[in-house]
């Protein structure tokens, strides 16, 4: 099965601090894997800090990662700790790494090489003690060829590559996932529902471009809106 290889690699990584690069389409659960690597690893008692490169304005990424001193730029009214500082001793999850602007890439590479960083506007070096897990849905090698991602940074981050298969490559997991999501929906206060075998067969034949997230959203919606106790094939077609 498609996920067995992922679980095997994860098991081997639990007691290491190796840098991991998780690749996979949107909705395949990259952050869940990063959290599992943290929660079952040697840093589990320390913070897990996630930062999504695609969600931060480009001009603020360096400040977001490394923090800034008061007055470092217009609007910096007080010192702010960055994600590297907040994650000290723990794991820093860099999501959508392909969206990182080039100057921030250069700065990140320097931190990974030297093991220390300075805040924006700061002079004092701060020792960095974080385990890095990065993730992307983009083709980084393609971005390297286009000059949009640093090759040397790619090799620093791609120490252990971990590819998450899309849901259509792991249809054998769909019945278990569908039931698990109904259980989760019930725990969150939605009505208790079961799902028929015919409905599971129909779900297994779909394309799932949104992957596991799309399946979870569907099960949640059916738990909320389906009038019967059992979700049947007609409701998922």
């Amino acid at each position: 099965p498609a996920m067995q290889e992922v679980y095997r690699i994860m098991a081997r990584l639990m007691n290491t601090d190796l840098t991991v690069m998780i690749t996979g389409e949107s909705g395949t659960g990259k952050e869940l894997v990063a959290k599992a690597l943290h929660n079952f690893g040697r840093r589990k008692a320390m913070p897990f800090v996630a930062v999504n490169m695609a969600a931060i304005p480009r001009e603020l990424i360096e400040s977001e990662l490394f923090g800034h001193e008061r007055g470092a730029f217009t609007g910096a009214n007080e010192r702010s700790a960055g994600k590297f500082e907040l994650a000290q001793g723990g794991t820093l999850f860099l999501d959508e790494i392909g969206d990182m602007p080039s100057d921030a890439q250069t700065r990140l590479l320097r931190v990974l090489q030297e093991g220390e960083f300075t805040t924006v506007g700061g002079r004092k070096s701060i020792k960095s003690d974080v385990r890095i897990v990065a993730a992307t849905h983009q083709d980084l090698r393609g971005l390297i060829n286009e000059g949009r991602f640093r090759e040397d940074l790619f090799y620093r981050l791609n120490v252990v590559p971990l590819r998450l298969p899309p849901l259509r490559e792991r249809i054998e997991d769909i019945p278990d996932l569908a039931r698990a999501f109904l259980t989760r929906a019930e725990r969150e206060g939605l009505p208790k529902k079961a799902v028929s075998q015919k409905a599971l067969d129909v779900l297994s034949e779909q394309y799932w471009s949104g992957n596991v997230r799309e399946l979870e959203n569907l099960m949640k919606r059916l738990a909320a809106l389906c009038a019967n106790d059992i979700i049947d094939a007609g409701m998922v077609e």
Side-chain angles (χ1 to χ4, degrees), residues 209-224:
S209 57
N211 292 299
V212 180
R213 189 183 298 137
E214 184 185 355
L215 177 61
E216 178 168 23
N217 290 344
L218 173 67
M219 300 322 285
K220 213 174 256 187
R221 195 159 64 241
L222 289 168

Side-chain angles (χ1 to χ4, degrees), residues 12 30 41 59 77 106 109 113 136 171 194 223:
R12 291 199 195 110
K30 295 187 287 289
E59 64 278 6
N77 300 328
T106 302
L109 179 66
Q113 285 168 339
T136 184
I171 52 176

Side-chain angles (χ1 to χ4, degrees), residues 17-198:
D17 269 342
L18 290 173
T19 304
V20 182
M21 171 76 81
I22 306 169
T23 54
E25 294 175 12
S26 290
T28 43
K30 295 187 287 289
E31 181 159 357
L32 293 175
V33 168
K35 275 190 177 141
L37 288 171
H38 175 80
N39 291 337
F40 297 101
R42 51 165 68 153
R43 291 174 175 259
K44 59 179 173 279
M46 302 305 278
F48 174 88
V49 175
V51 53
N52 184 330
M53 295 300 157
I56 304 164
R58 296 174 80 78
E59 64 278 6
L60 293 180
I61 282 184
E62 291 187 53
S63 157
E64 188 76 19
L65 285 176
F66 307 110
H68 62 253
E69 299 302 320
R70 185 175 167 201
F73 50 84
T74 311
N77 300 328
E78 52 194 320
R79 182 184 190 280
S80 169
K83 301 289 194 235
F84 263 87
E85 208 168 321
L86 297 172
Q88 284 287 37
T91 303
L92 180 60
F93 176 53
L94 302 175
D95 199 5
E96 295 308 348
I97 193 86
D99 284 292
M100 195 177 214
S102 60
D103 39 357
Q105 288 180 35
T106 302
R107 194 155 173 172
L108 175 61
L109 179 66
R110 200 174 311 131
V111 174
L112 299 181
Q113 285 168 339
E114 295 167 8
E116 52 185 41
F117 62 94
T118 49
T119 58
V120 177
R123 296 206 170 79
K124 198 170 89 244
S125 285
I126 302 169
K127 199 167 158 35
S128 160
D129 172 23
V130 296
R131 188 222 190 138
I132 303 269
V133 179
T136 184
H137 72 277
Q138 291 171 277
D139 169 22
L140 288 185
R141 290 179 196 275
L143 293 182
I144 290 167
N145 292 338
E146 291 167 24
R148 287 166 53 202
F149 200 84
R150 291 189 62 132
E151 190 169 19
D152 43 7
L153 177 59
F154 171 76
Y155 286 118
R156 280 265 168 187
L157 294 172
N158 199 50
V159 179
V160 182
L162 192 57
R163 176 186 174 269
L164 291 193
L167 189 55
R168 59 188 169 277
E169 282 180 24
R170 42 185 289 217
I171 52 176
E172 68 279 353
D173 293 342
I174 287 176
D176 285 345
L177 285 168
R179 292 190 198 101
F181 291 143
L182 286 176
T183 305
R184 185 183 294 178
E186 188 191 341
R187 271 208 309 270
E188 288 170 5
L190 289 168
K192 180 184 170 77
K193 300 282 181 218
V195 57
S196 75
Q197 186 54 52
K198 280 211 173 74

